[in-house]
Amino acid sequence: MKDYLKHHEWQIVEEGFDAHLNKVSESIFSIGNGRMGQRANFEEEYSGETLRGSYVAGVYYPDKTRVGWWKNGYPEYFAKVLNAPNWIGIHISIDNQKLDLAKCKVENFKRVLDMKTGLLSRSFTASFADGKKVSVSSKRFCSMANGEVGAIRYAITPLNFSAKATCSIYVDADVVNKDSNYDEKFWEEVSKEASEGKAIVTAQTKKTFFHVATGMKYVIESEGKKVSFDRINIEQREKFAGNVVQFDLHQGKEVVIYKYAAVLSSENHPKDKIAANCSKVVDDATAKGFDKLFEEHAKIWEHKWEECDITIEGDISAQQGIRFNIFQLTQTYTGEDERLNIGPKGFTGEKYGGVTYWDTEAYCLPFYLSTSDPKVARNLLVYRYKHLPKAIENGQKLGFVDGAAFYPFVTMNGEECHNEWEITFEEIHRTSAMAYAIRDYVDYTGDDKYFAEFGLEVLIGNARFWAQRATFSSDKNKYVVLGVTGPNEYENNVNNNWYTNYLGAWTLRFAQHAIDHVKKTDSKRFAEIAAKTNLKEKEETSKWKDIVDKMYYPFDEKRGVILQQDGFLDKELLTVKDLRKEDRPINQKWSWDRILRSCFIKQADVLQGIYLFEDDFNVETIKKNFDFYEPMTVHESSLSPCVHVILASKIGYKEKAYELYLRTARLDLDDYNNDTEEGLHITSMAGTWMSVIKGFGGMRVKDGKLHFTPYIPEQWKSYSFRLEFRGRVIKIKVGKEKVDTILESGEPLELFVQGKSVLLK
Amino acid sequence: MKDYLKHHEWQIVEEGFDAHLNKVSESIFSIGNGRMGQRANFEEEYSGETLRGSYVAGVYYPDKTRVGWWKNGYPEYFAKVLNAPNWIGIHISIDNQKLDLAKCKVENFKRVLDMKTGLLSRSFTASFADGKKVSVSSKRFCSMANGEVGAIRYAITPLNFSAKATCSIYVDADVVNKDSNYDEKFWEEVSKEASEGKAIVTAQTKKTFFHVATGMKYVIESEGKKVSFDRINIEQREKFAGNVVQFDLHQGKEVVIYKYAAVLSSENHPKDKIAANCSKVVDDATAKGFDKLFEEHAKIWEHKWEECDITIEGDISAQQGIRFNIFQLTQTYTGEDERLNIGPKGFTGEKYGGVTYWDTEAYCLPFYLSTSDPKVARNLLVYRYKHLPKAIENGQKLGFVDGAAFYPFVTMNGEECHNEWEITFEEIHRTSAMAYAIRDYVDYTGDDKYFAEFGLEVLIGNARFWAQRATFSSDKNKYVVLGVTGPNEYENNVNNNWYTNYLGAWTLRFAQHAIDHVKKTDSKRFAEIAAKTNLKEKEETSKWKDIVDKMYYPFDEKRGVILQQDGFLDKELLTVKDLRKEDRPINQKWSWDRILRSCFIKQADVLQGIYLFEDDFNVETIKKNFDFYEPMTVHESSLSPCVHVILASKIGYKEKAYELYLRTARLDLDDYNNDTEEGLHITSMAGTWMSVIKGFGGMRVKDGKLHFTPYIPEQWKSYSFRLEFRGRVIKIKVGKEKVDTILESGEPLELFVQGKSVLLK
């Protein structure tokens, strides 16, 4: 755990330069706008430890799979979000000395991420070997108003000298992925052009042939006037284009370099026009200028915060933590493009390939449902609908037939690209995350037309998967589900993982519900879907019912607890308190087999199921299971604690809830797991949001009505949050003594606080 | 399945050249002598499909591990037997046309492996593009009399022309492993020297720094006289040295090239003398000459066959098959060097790295016990004794303590080098294969001093492993063994695999037996061992006893069968007959999860346990289990059928036994699994031998006496085999009507045939 950032309500502030923390800060200070984003790399050269990363949403590379021992069914490739062309570079040298913070003496270093406006700032003074000293101040943002535009204001002031400065300003597509499996480069040049003040490089990815045009223009001013250059050279080489200019620096006088960038992808532009369009976008941005661009950008952020801010009084660190999570989530996914999704690291790193996991449905969806226009959440659902044919193909590759949809564990275009058999083939619960998301969406928004439009097809595919994946055990006279990995990935290839069995049976019931609903509300559309999916309704649904009726659920009568899986009680039943400090985290300290044999739980499993289907269990049952499983849970997945916060809140374990909340809220800011340098845990940030809203706030939707059972952690004075709900914006403020519910916009609404009806007007 | 080789009692014969079969033949016609060996690559250049391979016993390379997802506990490297310097090369060209069977027209091609004398011969006529035609006849062997020597007689006759021939004769250490994980070369040059008629290259392996000196001399004769050369060039380049000579070919006159090679490894020679020693060995071999060397070599083979031949009358294909298995086993491991072991591919290919598996103890040991001096089998045991400290280290890496010995699944020097968690960490039964081998050895030889000398330490280490690896289930009030993979690798991470539990408990009992024995027979030595191993006898052995007493064994009361593992009955219980042809082999046609969920068995598992502990089960029980499991067994491991043959023979299922025998006996000759081109299944060949001796012959050792319950497959007229047993050589001949037992040498001996005592004199 680290604690080097200043606590501040709206800002992340790093003071003083520590090269050892640079990669951590590069992650934390990342900026993006849903279309593109980047780590907080320096504009100038930096020869120290850095992970350079710019990313363009939806642009990926199918890197050839690397395995030790090939298993039948493995995919040929692992899709990776690409490190994309670098548009931030501004290299400065003075008297042949490079401005490089790894080599200069650095003072007064300050890095600030203003979350209110989405602005990354940095300032410092640097001394060269010969004693020359400059002060630098840079500001940078990726425009929320125009997702293809970025802008930099880079100001340099010579403090104790006057001299010639040489400045290289460029775009560079000769970039690599650090996680390339076979050390290959993924980009090839398509075209480039450079002229005075402007450069554009169009590059394409190998194999996937995405084109990305990256353009830049710059303006260099001093005291409001354009600086005149001694010389200007056009620089071009493979995948690189820019200018090198030389100009005078006068002691004490600031020179400001404005760099405007445009990043266009062939996902949004025809390939034959992309360079020309890029040229236009960068011209327009330059014409608009930095201040105007920033104003438009900040306005969007203002609006975003109105939708989704959470305020916490009395705990500035908690306030900063929750806003940081919301900020990163918001700039990762804006919901405007249904082809996009939320990579586990967003635009902040390469790890996990930046592709889509079940995290989206299980953790992120509730955040976007409550804080954005319903179309945002809907687009996340449609994304999976569009992948349905691929999910059916994925199933076929593993031997499933007749339209059984097996959604991938990791994907970019719908194809599976994970290659670890115990996950890829066995962590099958993820396919029902897509079904549960439909329920979540319809429950929250009331948009039950979604069944007819897209939902039913997904549910039929899903139900077919479970109908084939369950095995009838003649020994038990029950249906069993063999050979799975549950959300708790510290168990592999187990039989009858309760979470999986429960979710599978629920999916079959929910598919039946959807069929009934569509038949009743839109029989014509139902007939269409039945024809399209070749549904043998009676035969198939009676099989589904048989499985639902005879599904086997492991249970311990003696303790009255659900069993995580068959054989769980054969384990030595220890608790996390029995572990020595040097055993933690067990995923770094123990061999894999020891983890598997132990009772320790990486991530909520039975409790995850109880959380999802809370209404099926009484408080007594929840308590028993919480008391049994929580002490065994090591929370070594960032996705784990939030579920425990919600359940602990539900059963009145307030201290436990707050303890676990702390674990998630500042996970990245304090680098809790010592892995922030690889990127931020974006998807788990939504879990943190859930901890507050569903945990402390006790928000639920029942029969189309909002319910709250809020309480306040002792350490706080008050907290408040806003929710979008069916056309209204509601603000809930929870204090020590009372709960305020305010309708900020929209029609009157009845909601429930602690079970009591409240009519908001 | 292929059927292109002629059936012959003592020879493997290929007639006609089929380039598509060349790699298969290269495997089948491999030759070796326990110290070195090689695939049947051509001496001349060959630009067609080939897998070039020469191997030197004990010389390996730790190739950097390649995995998809790193698991804690994985080894850093995978040891690989190296493709070693090539000493066979004799390149011929005539008028700038290379003799290359991929380019010439080839007629009368014949390749013969004479198993009686260990001689590889080849003859053919080849026509060049310009119509010139030569006949070639080559003979090659790796001397059994001197493991460092190889010799070639390569004769060429111009049939329709006279011309100059150019001949390059060399040694080349610039060789690669096809299975290199990262396409690296593993050899570096240490020194080289070349003079007229002679060349030596000394190369060392990277990382492991083995030195191998490879030397050659040659003599070229025609009509008994040395051929005079037009010119002779010394050729040297990186890792390569040789001569290029030019001489006249006269139509119709044979020119014979004798090439003598010496291959010395730093395992047997000091590095600073290895080149000089190599020079001497090749000088001596050359001085001796081809015929004399061959005579010495053939004599050893004659002796070997006296020890281990099996004759089968009435079935020439079965005769050829069994001899081929014995031949390959014998030339792979001679038992003279306790540092060596039996790689699963011997000297015939790279697959599986050529390192040591539990195959050695479970399948090969009985062969060497019965066909060689007891020191051969003993050396195999001592090999593992020497690895005991490493086995303890392997255990420590996975979290075991206090001297628990966890033998590796795959090893060269005792360190684990396999990297697939479900095998590496979980296929734990292999560690007890080392214990069982001790029992096998002592039972067969009567050498119970072995306990005191080496055995007990291994058994204490082994017992400690099981004492820690078993878990007390308070739910069952039994000890359970969680998270294992049994011999049937089509199940991973199961609980209470019966074979594993049984073997674990037996190991604890056997360790106690060994303690008692050594205490009684050599109390001083016992005290030494107890001190060395820090044995807390009372405390430790009472824990062992507790586990033995309370070990859990899954069993189905209803069917009266042992259960392969917990939950086995939840599967859909199909039989192999239910599989469609297009599903076979399932390991190529099905995804891994489907295999895991199915009931199908790769390799004997429960039956393997019954085979090892046959006396613990009555025939009724064996039958029940055989009837239950055999129909589910797909035998997709080459190690599987032999165990079934032995049990089927025991319970009188003679047809089944013969059917399964056929599956193993000609596995490689007929390329049954379409994988012979990668190398031969050396270790499973010992299983074939067991099928005859323990299956048809019914050989057992009980209380130090040999027992036989022989029967004869209907298809055969008679069969006979020899056994070495406690200083005697016994020949058993089984005919349709009678069984002859003959004492060929040694003291009189009582043995039992069909339970009746027979005194051999």
Side-chain angles (χ1 to χ4, degrees), chain B residues 117-223:
Chain B
T117 59
L119 182 71
L120 170 63
S121 310
R122 188 165 54 104
S123 58
F124 58 86
T125 61
S127 305
F128 294 97
D130 67 358
K132 289 195 179 72
K133 202 170 195 172
V134 294
S135 83
V136 171
S137 159
S138 82
K139 294 180 190 306
R140 190 162 94 209
F141 61 92
C142 294
S143 173
M144 282 294 240
N146 180 347
E148 294 174 332
V149 167
I152 302 171
R153 181 189 187 280
Y154 193 91
I156 179 164
T157 309
L159 297 178
N160 59 355
F161 68 95
S162 295
K164 302 274 178 210
T166 306
C167 176
S168 169
I169 313 182
Y170 61 87
V171 292
D172 181 9
D174 192 22
V175 295
V176 295
N177 265 52
K178 201 187 153 213
D179 68 353
S180 167
N181 277 342
Y182 294 91
D183 287 333
E184 290 170 291
K185 289 191 175 181
F186 301 150
W187 291 100
E188 285 170 337
E189 181 179 308
V190 176
S191 67
K192 60 175 176 263
E193 50 186 280
S195 55
E196 291 192 3
K198 187 171 177 181
I200 296 172
V201 175
T202 305
Q204 70 175 355
T205 56
K206 295 179 190 169
K207 295 187 191 168
T208 34
F209 307 111
F210 291 105
H211 284 210
V212 169
T214 311
M216 69 100 187
K217 282 182 91 166
Y218 63 90
V219 176
I220 305 184
E221 293 180 353
S222 184
E223 299 182 324

Side-chain angles (χ1 to χ4, degrees), chain A residues 66-69 71-72 419-422 469 473 476 482 492-493 570 588 590-592 596-597, chain B residues 66-69 71-72 398 419-422 469 473 476 482 492-493 570 588 590 592 596-597:
Chain A
R66 186 176 65 188
V67 297
W69 302 84
K71 304 271 196 204
N72 230 18
N419 58 336
E420 203 176 22
W421 66 266
E422 61 273 20
R469 189 58 170 74
S473 163
K476 288 195 166 69
L482 304 178
N492 292 153
N493 194 41
D570 277 344
Q588 285 171 29
W590 284 8
S591 68
W592 188 243
L596 290 179
R597 279 182 281 132
Chain B
R66 187 176 67 188
V67 298
W69 303 84
K71 305 271 195 204
N72 232 17
L398 301 188
N419 58 336
E420 204 177 21
W421 66 267
E422 60 274 21
R469 188 58 170 75
S473 162
K476 287 194 167 70
L482 304 177
N492 292 154
N493 193 41
D570 277 345
Q588 286 172 29
W590 283 9
W592 187 243
L596 290 177
R597 279 182 280 131

Side-chain angles (χ1 to χ4, degrees), chain B residues 31-38 54-61 80-85 87 147-148 187 205 210-212 263-268 331-343 346-348 353-356 383 412:
Chain B
I31 54 174
N33 61 18
R35 281 243 166 271
M36 65 173 177
Q38 77 210 179
S54 282
Y55 310 96
V56 180
V59 174
Y60 68 96
Y61 182 78
K80 285 177 178 167
V81 162
L82 281 176
N83 190 6
W87 58 263
E148 294 174 332
W187 291 100
T205 56
F210 291 105
H211 284 210
V212 169
V263 179
L264 275 61
S265 126
S266 56
E267 289 289 271
N268 303 306
Q331 69 174 3
T332 298
Y333 182 74
T334 62
E336 282 158 21
D337 186 338
E338 73 201 18
R339 297 166 303 177
L340 300 181
N341 210 283
I342 306 143
F347 299 116
T348 73
V355 288
T356 311
Y383 173 92
M412 188 52 91

